[in-house]
Amino acid sequence: MTKKSDMNSKENKLSNQNDETKQTANPTKVDLEKQEAEKKSTAKKNEHPSFTDTLPQFKKYQRKKLWRRLSLIVGVLLIPLLISMYYISPFSRLASVVVSGNQTIESSKIIKDSHLQYDQDFLTQYFKRANAINAIKKENVRVKSVSIVPKSINELAIKITEYDQIAQLSKGKLYYPILENGKTLTSGTKKPTNGFVILEDFKKDQAIVQTIKAYESLPADIQSAISQINATPTKANDSLLRLMMKDGNTVIVNSENLAKQMAYYPKVAKDLPDKGIIDMEVGIFYTPYGSESTTDEENATSETNTSEQLSSSSEKIPSSSEEKTPSSSETVTNPQ
């Protein structure tokens, strides 16, 4: 009997489970309505949350707003305090100045010429650094460019770029450096500096600048081949130059045509039979050193004959022919 009752109970359970699965698999109309009602109530709660639901979010918003206001108040009070502390501290005053890039000018002189003052307000001197830059350039002709930048919180760095020396001017018994911009320094030395061409007999600064520009346009090998440049102006040509070459030759050329004419020099010098004078004033003419005395005598004779003709003849000779004879006598002279 017990076995039969157990079998009946098991069958009832299985039938109940099947009924439940059927109900879940095939929900009735009532179940669907219940589900829709629950969804609507949940949506209403989300749209209109209760005060108890929104209270934590409100507290969080209030805290964030409070922190913003507090940060603003602290910032407004803290910034003036930090500025005051900075100006009271030693960091607000200039502690040191470092100079770099100077080759011939002493660092102490650059600092002195800048008028920067130690233990004075750092920011004021930095923002007025243009005055220091102009003062350095004014007092030092060699200075090409200057920049002043902060090195640390109370240190300044002065960066200098100098003009390179390109030549030296022989004047009296001293030799004065000539910079790449054509300016001549006022301090000279008793002995010439090796490696720089010597300029001699220059009377005008403009002629020096013009010659330096022409010299800089020459190739490096031709520059190094010139030992001395003499200014030999005449009435007919005030830009005439006499170049003493290291190989023993002498070149006569206009400063305006220096770069153009000297481009032919290496080839011309190579083909010469002997050392002498190469006249490049108009064309290219060569005169050996040994024949200069004969040339001078002929030029002197031609000048005498010209003067006699001028005194005996009633017809005036053009001025160009008068200037031509002395010009030729000046260009062919013994350089030794």
Side-chain angles (χ1 to χ4, degrees), residues 257-272:
N257 301 329
L258 182 63
K260 182 180 179 181
Q261 295 292 84
M262 287 301 292
Y264 302 105
Y265 178 77
K267 184 178 180 181
V268 172
K270 184 179 179 181
D271 296 336
L272 293 180

Side-chain angles (χ1 to χ4, degrees), residues 248-250 252 268 272-279 284-296 299 328 331-333 335:
N249 292 319
T250 301
I252 299 172
V268 172
L272 293 180
D274 201 358
K275 306 300 179 184
I277 297 176
I278 304 170
D279 191 343
I284 300 176
F285 301 96
Y286 164 70
T287 304
Y289 285 141
S291 61
E292 288 183 42
S293 57
T294 307
T295 306
D296 290 339
N299 289 333
S328 62
T331 56
V332 184
T333 56

Side-chain angles (χ1 to χ4, degrees), residues 270-318:
K270 184 179 179 181
D271 296 336
L272 293 180
D274 201 358
K275 306 300 179 184
I277 297 176
I278 304 170
D279 191 343
M280 294 184 176
E281 181 181 1
V282 180
I284 300 176
F285 301 96
Y286 164 70
T287 304
Y289 285 141
S291 61
E292 288 183 42
S293 57
T294 307
T295 306
D296 290 339
E297 290 177 1
E298 291 177 355
N299 289 333
T301 305
S302 63
E303 289 179 358
T304 306
N305 295 335
T306 303
S307 61
E308 290 177 356
Q309 290 177 4
L310 284 170
S311 60
S312 61
S313 176
S314 59
E315 186 177 354
K316 189 175 181 180
I317 300 176

Side-chain angles (χ1 to χ4, degrees), residues 110-178:
I110 292 174
I111 296 173
K112 181 180 178 182
D113 295 337
S114 68
H115 304 300
L116 295 172
Q117 297 180 352
Y118 296 112
D119 294 328
Q120 297 298 321
D121 184 58
F122 173 81
L123 291 177
T124 302
Q125 296 188 82
Y126 173 70
F127 288 124
K128 292 183 178 180
R129 61 188 180 277
N131 297 334
I133 291 172
N134 293 332
I136 293 172
K137 286 184 176 181
K138 184 179 179 181
E139 296 296 330
N140 301 276
V141 184
R142 278 187 178 271
V143 175
K144 186 176 184 179
S145 63
V146 185
S147 64
I148 299 177
V149 295
K151 187 180 179 182
S152 67
I153 192 169
N154 61 346
E155 292 181 342
L156 288 176
I158 302 177
K159 297 181 180 180
I160 300 292
T161 303
E162 295 184 6
Y163 284 109
D164 294 328
Q165 181 180 347
I166 195 170
Q168 49 195 335
L169 177 66
S170 175
K171 191 175 181 181
K173 295 182 179 180
L174 297 177
Y175 295 89
Y176 300 89
I178 301 175

Side-chain angles (χ1 to χ4, degrees), residues 45-86:
K45 286 182 180 180
N46 293 333
E47 289 178 0
H48 304 285
S50 64
F51 180 75
T52 55
D53 294 333
T54 58
L55 184 60
Q57 295 180 359
F58 180 74
K59 288 182 178 180
K60 186 177 180 181
Y61 170 75
Q62 286 289 77
R63 274 193 236 103
K64 188 182 290 185
K65 192 174 181 180
L66 181 63
W67 275 111
R68 285 179 182 175
R69 290 180 179 177
L70 185 62
S71 301
L72 181 62
I73 294 170
V74 171
V76 170
L77 296 176
L78 189 61
I79 290 173
L81 180 63
L82 292 175
I83 293 173
S84 301
M85 290 177 63
Y86 170 76

Side-chain angles (χ1 to χ4, degrees), residues 18-56:
N18 292 330
D19 292 337
E20 289 177 359
T21 53
K22 286 179 181 179
Q23 288 178 358
T24 55
N26 300 312
T28 62
K29 187 177 181 180
V30 177
D31 295 333
L32 292 173
E33 289 176 355
K34 286 181 180 180
Q35 290 178 3
E36 288 179 1
E38 288 177 358
K39 287 180 180 180
K40 287 180 180 180
S41 63
T42 306
K44 286 181 179 180
K45 286 182 180 180
N46 293 333
E47 289 178 0
H48 304 285
S50 64
F51 180 75
T52 55
D53 294 333
T54 58
L55 184 60

